[in-house]
Amino acid sequence: MTLSQEQLSDPSVRAFVAAVNAGDREAFAALLAPGATMSDDGSERDLAEWTEREIFSSGGRMDVVSEAEGGRRLVADYRNETYGSMRTAWRFEVGGDGRISRFETGQA
C-alpha cells in the first residue's frame, strides 16, 4: 500500500514528491534552499547533475510506502527508465523557510 501525496505530513516533502512525480523542474528548484546538498547511497553528489540524470531525464517517480519523523523520512518505491524500480529511503532537512537544504537517498 502506498500513501497518496496528500497524506504526506511535511508540506515541503509533499511538494518535493509532487514535483518529482510531475517532472516539474521549476517547482523542484523552487523547493531547494540556496546551496542545497544531497547524497545517494552515502556518497555526496552534485545535486543539479544527479536530479537531471536520476529524476528528470529518466522519468523518475516516487510511490511513498511509509513516512516517519513528521514526514521528513520516507520509504518509497522509486522508479525511472534507467534503473527500473527499487525500494528507497529518503531523509530531508528543511529550513525554517520551508525550503529543503539537504536530502539523502539510497536503497532501503
Side-chain angles (χ1 to χ4, degrees):
M1 185 170 155
T2 60
L3 299 173
S4 71
Q5 288 171 195
E6 295 78 27
Q7 291 175 295
L8 299 178
S9 301
D10 186 280
S12 300
V13 173
R14 183 181 327 123
F16 180 98
V17 172
V20 167
N21 289 345
D24 189 337
R25 287 175 176 88
E26 286 183 29
F28 184 89
L31 292 167
L32 301 176
T37 61
M38 61 92 46
S39 70
D40 182 9
D41 283 327
S43 296
E44 292 299 311
R45 305 288 186 200
D46 177 280
L47 191 146
E49 185 179 288
W50 187 91
T51 55
E52 183 57 35
R53 182 181 68 248
E54 301 287 337
I55 297 173
F56 299 113
S57 292
S58 60
R61 181 157 181 86
M62 299 173 73
D63 292 321
V64 178
V65 176
S66 65
E67 69 171 10
E69 294 184 19
R72 298 214 175 149
R73 283 189 182 264
L74 305 178
V75 173
D77 289 327
Y78 185 80
R79 66 183 178 278
N80 66 25
E81 296 162 1
T82 304
Y83 299 110
S85 184
M86 66 190 88
R87 179 70 44 109
T88 56
W90 297 76
R91 183 170 113 10
F92 297 87
E93 295 175 15
V94 181
D97 62 356
R99 294 171 80 188
I100 296 168
S101 59
R102 179 171 177 80
F103 68 90
E104 299 170 357
T105 187
Q107 292 193 36

